[in-house]
Amino acid sequence: MVGTWINKRRWRTLRFYMIGWTLSFVFLSIVRGVGTEEVGSLKFEFQDSLLIAFSLGPIMGFVSGLAQIISEERIYKNISLRKFLLIQLLYTLLFMVLLVVVAFGIYSLYFGTSIDLLTFAFDTGSVAIYFYVTCVNIFLSILRQVNLMLGEGNLFKLIMGRFYTPHEEERIFMFLDLQASTTLAERLGHVTYSKLVQDCFNDLGIAAANNGEIYQYVGDEAVLTWPLDEGIHNQNLLKTFYRFKQQLESKREYYENTYDCLPFFKAGVHAGIVTVTEVGKYKKEIAYHGDTINTAARIQGQCNNLGSELLVSETLKNRLDGSHYIFEHIGSVPLKGKKGAVSICSVRVDVY
């Protein structure tokens, strides 16, 4: 059960916070323990404070990461901003209380203590520590949001210079387009239509369960990408499309009551070699370049003409496991901007 719940994306979140909080407590130990003297009733040797840091950090990081996962999946965008800020305040207070209790327990376990929990909590210098913990919590939350903006896992790669020099990768790209978007925008008005697109793309977060990375949002269109091996493994790219479709269907009542429609997306998919690099000086972005992306976009543009909700290039289809899905070869279709025709297959779920 636990193994099922902790998927790759959730584990990355938990690992980020566990490492972050551990490093923050180690930093605090160094600042307080090297060349300084404790003024409170509790005297920490440097080695002792490091032991506490390596014990306390993973525990509080796990709690903080778990709270972040719940916030992203269950709370964020589902309540008003005022309620969200109130929940954040309550969480911070509970986190502080838990921090004191866990720290007191760890200290008592390792070294024993003659003071009670209340004295431990309000020991001399504790206010500065609580201020430090609050700042670390805010800093890690900001880093988390930057990481989400760049794409899951890309922040560390960017810091390490992974994208400084352009390099090639073999990747899969899926272009998802909201159907009848112009009609919906005219009927709903721009603000309500934007809320519809926002809700749809929030539901698209389900792609993370199949290791999908949301590369870009372009108007009412979203672009997903996978490293080739991850995308074809366990049919992740196909499962992502149909699970997104199921997610929208499961919220049919909400969408029909709120927007008087059930949003419907069509997709085109292609795989190949692309170049990835960081671009921009004052606004950095991780960008992919190459004919693979253009071809995937052109394939998606054929969905309406060919009467299919999901089209894949035949070169990609040949690398996919055919079980649970039926592929129908449509033929070689000339695509705008390409000299030769591209072989395309439609996909549908095998109901048997």
Side-chain angles (χ1 to χ4, degrees):
M1 182 69 177
V2 175
T4 302
W5 184 83
I6 303 181
N7 56 33
K8 187 174 182 180
R9 185 191 63 81
R10 288 170 175 166
W11 169 241
R12 282 177 175 171
T13 303
L14 292 173
R15 184 177 60 186
F16 168 77
Y17 278 96
M18 290 169 71
I19 293 174
W21 276 107
T22 300
L23 291 178
S24 69
F25 286 130
V26 168
F27 177 77
L28 180 63
S29 298
I30 294 173
V31 171
R32 298 185 69 195
V34 178
T36 62
E37 183 178 347
E38 293 284 351
V39 297
S41 58
L42 297 175
K43 305 296 183 180
F44 290 88
E45 296 293 335
F46 178 57
Q47 294 82 355
D48 297 339
S49 63
L50 280 180
L51 179 60
I52 294 175
F54 281 110
S55 301
L56 184 61
I59 296 174
M60 301 312 299
F62 183 86
V63 172
S64 186
L66 184 62
Q68 183 65 32
I69 291 171
I70 294 173
S71 175
E72 291 175 4
E73 296 183 1
R74 301 293 181 87
I75 298 176
Y76 186 66
K77 291 298 182 184
N78 292 325
I79 60 175
S80 65
L81 178 60
R82 181 180 298 179
K83 289 183 179 179
F84 180 75
L85 293 176
L86 178 60
I87 290 175
Q88 286 291 92
L89 176 61
L90 292 175
Y91 160 72
T92 302
L93 295 175
L94 290 174
F95 184 81
M96 289 294 186
V97 172
L98 181 62
L99 174 68
V100 171
V101 172
V102 174
F104 180 76
I106 291 175
Y107 184 83
S108 300
L109 176 65
Y110 289 151
F111 312 110
T113 179
S114 59
I115 65 174
D116 57 33
L117 178 61
L118 194 60
T119 304
F120 178 88
F122 295 100
D123 191 39
T124 304
S126 59
V127 174
I129 295 176
Y130 298 150
F131 177 75
Y132 172 80
V133 169
T134 301
C135 291
V136 169
N137 188 49
I138 294 173
F139 176 71
L140 290 178
S141 296
I142 292 174
L143 279 184
R144 173 63 182 168
Q145 294 306 311
V146 173
N147 187 47
L148 290 175
M149 290 178 66
L150 292 174
E152 192 76 44
N154 284 330
L155 175 60
F156 179 75
K157 295 178 183 178
L158 188 66
I159 293 174
M160 297 302 294
R162 178 80 169 85
F163 305 113
Y164 185 76
T165 302
H167 65 276
E168 292 184 334
E169 294 182 3
E170 194 169 12
R171 300 188 71 91
I172 297 169
F173 284 87
M174 174 185 289
F175 279 72
L176 282 157
D177 184 61
L178 176 63
Q179 299 300 292
S181 56
T182 302
T183 302
L184 287 172
E186 291 176 349
R187 179 169 63 83
L188 296 174
H190 294 300
V191 174
T192 303
Y193 175 72
S194 293
K195 291 180 179 178
L196 168 64
V197 173
Q198 185 181 55
D199 281 338
C200 290
F201 289 162
N202 284 339
D203 287 331
L204 185 57
I206 199 171
N210 295 108
N211 300 329
E213 174 188 329
I214 300 174
Y215 168 46
Q216 281 184 337
Y217 300 111
V218 185
D220 52 24
E221 187 175 73
V223 185
L224 306 184
T225 183
W226 294 259
L228 180 64
D229 291 341
E230 288 191 11
I232 63 177
H233 174 68
N234 204 27
Q235 301 174 316
N236 275 330
L237 73 95
L238 300 179
K239 287 182 178 179
T240 294
F241 176 81
Y242 287 106
R243 285 180 177 174
F244 177 46
K245 183 178 177 179
Q246 291 171 358
Q247 174 74 359
L248 296 177
E249 179 63 36
S250 69
K251 296 178 65 175
R252 172 186 287 270
E253 184 177 355
Y254 166 77
Y255 279 108
E256 290 183 344
N257 290 340
T258 307
Y259 305 108
D260 193 27
C261 72
L262 178 65
F264 179 71
F265 284 78
K266 292 185 178 182
V269 197
H270 184 51
I273 300 293
V274 294
T275 302
V276 56
T277 186
E278 64 177 84
V279 295
K281 182 176 181 180
Y282 299 107
K283 181 187 182 300
K284 290 189 178 297
E285 183 175 317
I286 298 169
Y288 295 97
H289 303 128
D291 183 63
T292 298
I293 302 174
N294 297 329
T295 301
R298 300 289 187 264
I299 291 175
Q300 190 282 319
Q302 292 294 317
C303 286
N304 288 335
N305 296 337
L306 300 175
S308 178
E309 64 179 2
L310 177 59
L311 294 174
V312 301
S313 63
E314 188 170 26
T315 55
L316 176 57
K317 174 259 180 187
N318 292 335
R319 307 185 73 162
L320 288 167
D321 178 5
S323 60
H324 308 301
Y325 299 95
I326 297 175
F327 298 92
E328 181 181 349
H329 178 69
I330 295 179
S332 296
V333 179
L335 299 179
K336 182 180 178 181
K338 292 187 68 66
K339 293 181 179 179
V342 176
S343 294
I344 297 177
C345 297
S346 65
V347 186
R348 68 178 190 272
V349 178
D350 188 352
V351 296
Y352 296 102

